[in-house]
């Protein structure tokens, strides 16, 4: 980092929404009409440098997250980047444990989404300040420094600082080789773009054909609204992709525990690798029961996109309640909290397969999963990152997919910066796009 | 209910704060400077009838909850009370599972606090409309109707509708006797007013002496910031109250799991009945480990004031992670969700000892615990309701405590109505009280 102190003198946040519900993009069993949105944060230093951050939402309620970001901004503005990163754990704690605001969380829901947006901007600023893409900042950071960014409060019974350090130090071996491999091949991805719940069979077929032609081998289908429909759609897609490609199914929390087991058992013949979000994202013991019941069928349980903090992930791991950890770059408290989850997942030997899609989630999470492979897990077994081909055109440095792999970003930062024109056009409710729809 | 349909035509919400931090009232190991606050909701029908509701907060961040209430108001305004209560389960689901807004929860944090404020106002309106205090509305309601207010989604693996109905039907026996008993004796309470963390030993002694003189026999002490201080304060209060009165200790989430066990073991000689909130409110498995370790010392674990929904309570019960269930009238989704928790607690044979204090929490939760005794548990063993002697003067129908018992409220409604003068004076930031402090 430049020796000069960069003081954050300004934070702005805007409510940016895309009217995706018009075409049922992103529709699932519980979110039938999502308008993909973000609370978009820009921080600015006294030296004119910017950091960009966001958290993902699905329309109504984004204004509440914006309000929460505004409440947090007083804790950020006036601090220097140097001061923050010299004790990032302390700064994380400051944001998440404010003596008054923690009551309305703590570390969950709106306030944690807001924390993510703010801290994503700080990490973006840090990476830009070092002239590196975020994944590279992380990969090249001293393990002790990395550890100093994590708040271990409430997880020391599962992972101590010493154990975390040990994991990172061990993974130094072969690191450069993995960096080179990633730069050459990229990180494996799967697609969710073919089979949203609101899509017709015809559209599904067409998208699936296109995807196969583009080299995709792993496909996710939304299920959970109607069993007959699910059987038809799963059968259709399994036919299309053949027996050797990978199929995953996603119920988006539609079922109770017993129902999940019955329903998924009926879909077992289509050989899904996992059932994602079978029930409430809060139900650790429920997921454990489902995992146990489905294991003999060779179906794993995946969850995490609405797992609200490291304490929940800790328990999912402790209880063997998931077989795939789906971190999210905007639900957890930014990179800081995701580092804790990646390290715990490694200790418990559970692969991480990030959640992405929405607006910007692919752009952000690719950095984290690259770091996971290069500096933590050193494995690609049973690992892949979600990809949805949507709304990337609104970003300054959109994801690059080649042959169904995420190619490592090269621009400095956390890939959060949106095109100012896109932001202005989609600002809610005053942007042109929304004015036209009124 | 009157045959006439009462349509809700207006909902207002205000940010009302009391500068309690000035005197360290309410201070604990994690909330060092709380300004007790509420998001205060008033709904109004086309026939000029009002319903009052609130959710409790501790200062900064109340404006975020206010923003969330405003977002929910579109789902309430225009509905008739009749329409709502004829399918209250459906209405609960409408508020908590909006296809866009559930993303920023679901059913947790800010959005669930807002749901509580809105639904508390609806229950208040319903009870007023029937001319009964809420506890009486519940106690006299047909068990099937009661059940129809509960959303059983995600809890059927622990409690089915049929089991819930069975519990309520069985408890009809002896109901009138219990009503009469409550009207005569009231519901047993304990006090937290003596030993906030910020209070000096001298103040603690004085308050404890006063409380003993007033007939209190059960006392809670805040702990968790400093072990030596805790030993001194627990020793002092145990000396003051003697060996036969009851002492509880409350750490307000200060510790990690291992630390909690060590620390509480050091305080075991003062014979606390329970340790409250030893660690993260999300850590079900952590609480289970603590419960197991402390059981041989005769110390139970209590938690719930920040347990964010019925799915979490379900698991705390399934995992034997608590020995005392502390429901909160404003954290959960109002009466609807609390009914589910009371019934689950009964099934798992764990006593309910509500959280109260703050602003209005005593006023509200007394209704729920009266219902629990009269219509669910039919037992007072190991049961008591928290009481804090604060801010009651701001309510139209403040709690009545006699000989350390809550006397059943008689006024129609849910006791949520605040004095309009208090609301105006304490509105943040424009009220007189706050203007003076600027």
């Amino acid at each position: 980092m430049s020796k000069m102190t960069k003081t954050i003198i300004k934070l702005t946040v805007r409510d940016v929404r895309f009217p995706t519900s018009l075409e049922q993009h992103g529709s699932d069993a519980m979110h039938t009409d999502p308008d993909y949105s973000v609370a978009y944060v820009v921080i600015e230093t006294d030296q004119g440098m910017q950091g960009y951050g966001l958290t993902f939402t699905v329309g109504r309620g984004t204004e509440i997250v914006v309000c929460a970001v505004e409440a947090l901004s007083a804790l950020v503005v006036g601090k220097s980047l140097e001061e923050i990163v010299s004790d990032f754990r302390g700064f994380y704690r400051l944001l998440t444990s404010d003596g008054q605001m923690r009551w309305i969380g703590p570390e969950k829901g709106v306030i944690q989404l807001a924390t993510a947006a703010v801290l994503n901007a700080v990490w973006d600023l840090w990476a830009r300040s070092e002239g590196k893409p975020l994944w590279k900042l992380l990969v090249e950071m001293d393990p002790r420094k990395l550890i100093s960014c994590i708040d271990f409060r409430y997880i020391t019974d599962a992972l101590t600082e010493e154990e975390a350090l040990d994991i990172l130090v061990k993974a130094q071996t072969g690191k450069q080789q993995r960096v080179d491999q990633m730069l050459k091949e990229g990180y494996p991805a799967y697609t969710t773009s073919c089979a949203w719940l609101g899509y017709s069979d015809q559209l599904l077929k067409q998208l699936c054909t296109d995807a196969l032609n583009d080299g995709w081998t792993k496909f996710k289908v939304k299920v959970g609204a109607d069993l007959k429909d699910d059987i038809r759609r799963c059968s259709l897609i399994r036919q299309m992709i053949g027996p050797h490609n990978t199929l995953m199914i996603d119920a988006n929390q539609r079922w109770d525990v017993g129902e999940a087991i019955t329903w998924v058992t009926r879909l077992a013949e289509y050989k899904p690798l996992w059932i994602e979000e079978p029930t409430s994202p809060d139900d650790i013991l429920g997921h454990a029961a489902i995992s146990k019941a489905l294991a003999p069928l060779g179906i794993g349980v995946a969850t995490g996109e609405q797992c609200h903090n490291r304490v929940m992930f800790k328990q999912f791991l402790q209880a063997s309640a998931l077989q795939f950890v789906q971190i999210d770059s905007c639900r957890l408290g930014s990179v800081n909290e995701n580092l804790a989850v990646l390290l715990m997942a490694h200790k418990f030997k559970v692969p991480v397969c990030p959640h992405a899609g929405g607006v910007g989630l692919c752009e952000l999470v690719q950095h984290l999963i690259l770091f996971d492979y290069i500096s933590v897990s050193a494995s690609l077994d049973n690992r892949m990152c979600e990809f949805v081909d949507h709304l990337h055109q609104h970003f300054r440095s959109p994801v690059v997919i080649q042959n169904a792999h995420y190619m490592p970003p090269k621009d400095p930062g956390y890939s959060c910066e949106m095109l100012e024109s896109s932001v202005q056009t989609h600002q809610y409710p005053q942007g042109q796009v929304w004015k036209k729809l009124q």
Side-chain angles (χ1 to χ4, degrees), chain A:
Chain A
M1 196 184 318
S2 140
K3 291 282 179 227
M4 278 189 301
T5 297
K6 296 176 186 70
T7 300
I8 297 166
I9 53 167
K10 196 175 160 190
L11 183 155
T12 60
V13 55
R14 285 176 284 177
D15 181 339
V16 182
R17 307 190 191 185
F18 298 86
T20 45
S21 63
L22 297 178
E23 293 176 324
Q24 301 231 328
H25 301 319
S27 56
D28 67 48
M30 297 293 273
H31 310 91
T32 49
D33 61 342
D35 285 328
Y36 280 177
S37 308
V38 291
Y40 183 61
V41 172
V42 185
I43 53 177
E44 207 179 300
T45 73
D46 54 355
Q47 287 163 48
M49 197 162 189
Q50 264 105 32
Y52 302 86
L54 58 82
T55 195
F56 171 64
T57 51
V58 300
R60 283 186 297 280
T62 309
E63 77 280 12
I64 307 169
V65 181
V66 164
C67 181
V69 169
E70 282 164 354
L72 291 175
S73 73
L75 301 172
V76 180
V77 174
K79 296 263 186 322
S80 75
L81 179 61
E82 220 168 27
E83 186 184 349
I84 290 172
V85 304
S86 74
D87 179 20
F88 214 154
R89 177 184 301 173
F91 186 70
Y92 180 87
R93 181 79 67 93
L94 182 78
L95 258 66
T96 54
S97 296
D98 174 87
Q100 297 193 344
M101 278 191 283
R102 84 183 294 283
W103 186 267
I104 61 172
E107 295 182 82
K108 60 175 65 71
V110 168
I111 196 80
Q112 193 75 344
L113 291 166
T115 298
V118 169
L119 289 180
N120 284 342
V122 172
W123 279 96
D124 183 62
L125 181 67
W126 190 6
R128 282 168 191 263
S129 158
E130 300 281 348
K132 297 176 188 176
L134 180 92
W135 67 269
K136 210 159 179 242
L137 173 72
L138 296 175
V139 161
E140 295 177 358
M141 198 180 289
D142 178 78
R144 281 178 199 282
K145 182 78 181 168
L146 271 170
I147 296 295
S148 80
C149 300
I150 301 172
D151 189 352
F152 284 85
R153 176 174 266 179
Y154 300 142
I155 59 170
T156 55
D157 54 326
L159 182 78
T160 64
E161 269 191 69
E162 296 67 35
E163 290 172 312
L165 186 61
D166 191 47
I167 292 169
L168 290 173
V169 169
K170 278 195 181 133
Q172 297 288 310
T173 314
K175 204 172 77 172
Q176 192 52 50
Q177 206 178 331
R178 291 191 293 277
V179 170
D180 297 340
Q181 181 197 355
M182 285 296 107
L183 288 170
K184 197 176 148 207
E185 300 168 12
Y187 195 92
Y190 73 86
T191 178
T192 311
S193 291
C194 299
W196 294 104
L197 208 57
Y199 284 4
S200 68
D201 287 3
Q202 199 189 345
L203 183 56
L204 190 154
K205 267 189 196 170
Q206 182 207 310
L207 291 171
C208 202
T209 308
D210 295 349
L212 285 162
N213 289 337
D214 290 345
W216 293 93
T217 58
K218 304 178 182 83
F219 300 81
K220 195 163 80 184
V221 182
K222 297 285 177 175
V223 298
D226 181 280
L227 182 56
K228 274 189 193 157
D229 280 350
D230 290 350
I231 290 173
R232 196 188 69 252
R233 288 155 49 87
C234 286
S235 163
L236 181 66
I237 204 160
R238 177 50 86 191
Q239 244 180 315
M240 302 274 308
I241 69 176
H244 301 302
N245 283 325
T246 305
L247 174 69
M248 287 86 73
I249 56 176
D250 183 359
N252 291 87
Q253 314 169 19
R254 182 59 183 253
W255 304 310
D256 279 24
V257 174
E259 199 181 7
I261 295 168
T262 319
W263 197 302
V264 177
T265 301
R266 291 290 305 275
L267 300 175
E269 65 174 296
Y270 308 108
K271 304 278 177 207
L273 175 66
W274 74 50
I275 171 66
E276 182 171 329
E277 291 203 309
T279 188
S280 164
D282 296 339
D283 198 352
I284 298 149
L285 301 180
H287 280 80
I290 297 166
S291 291
K292 206 173 164 188
L294 297 181
L297 301 173
I299 304 171
V301 168
T303 193
E305 74 187 64
Q306 292 198 12
C307 183
H308 58 259
N309 61 34
R310 68 194 176 285
V311 183
M312 295 300 286
F313 271 115
K314 175 186 81 168
Q315 295 173 84
F316 273 100
L317 291 164
Q318 288 173 321
S320 304
L322 41 58
Q323 288 70 53
F324 300 91
V325 166
Q326 301 183 296
I327 57 164
D328 183 287
S329 56
C330 295
R331 174 76 56 182
L332 291 181
S334 188
V335 179
N336 313 68
E337 195 166 31
N338 268 304
L339 289 174
V341 176
L342 295 178
L343 290 162
M344 285 194 290
H346 183 74
K347 181 177 167 191
F348 283 86
K349 298 187 174 55
V350 177
V352 177
C353 298
H355 171 245
V359 188
L361 297 179
C362 300
E363 274 70 19
L364 275 78
V365 91
Q366 60 180 336
H367 292 271
L368 302 179
I369 199 62
L370 282 166
F371 167 75
D372 183 58
Y373 175 59
I374 298 166
S375 297
V376 181
S377 78
S379 166
L380 292 176
D381 290 353
N382 259 326
R383 286 165 170 90
M384 50 191 157
C385 185
E386 183 166 22
F387 177 70
V388 183
D389 196 4
H390 252 164
L391 306 173
H392 302 291
Q393 70 274 25
H394 300 293
F395 286 82
R396 178 79 58 193
S397 307
V399 286
V400 176
I401 299 287
Q402 278 178 18
N403 193 32
H405 284 66
Y406 277 91
M407 300 312 291
K410 291 178 177 163
D411 292 343
Y414 197 3
S415 309
C416 302
E417 187 182 355
M418 297 179 80
L419 300 178
E420 184 56 29
S421 57
S422 293
V423 172
Q424 287 186 12
T425 319
H426 293 88
Q427 241 188 293
Y428 186 87
Q430 70 272 42
Q432 270 177 39
V433 165
W434 291 104
K435 272 195 177 156
K436 268 192 209 156
L437 286 168
Q438 272 159 17

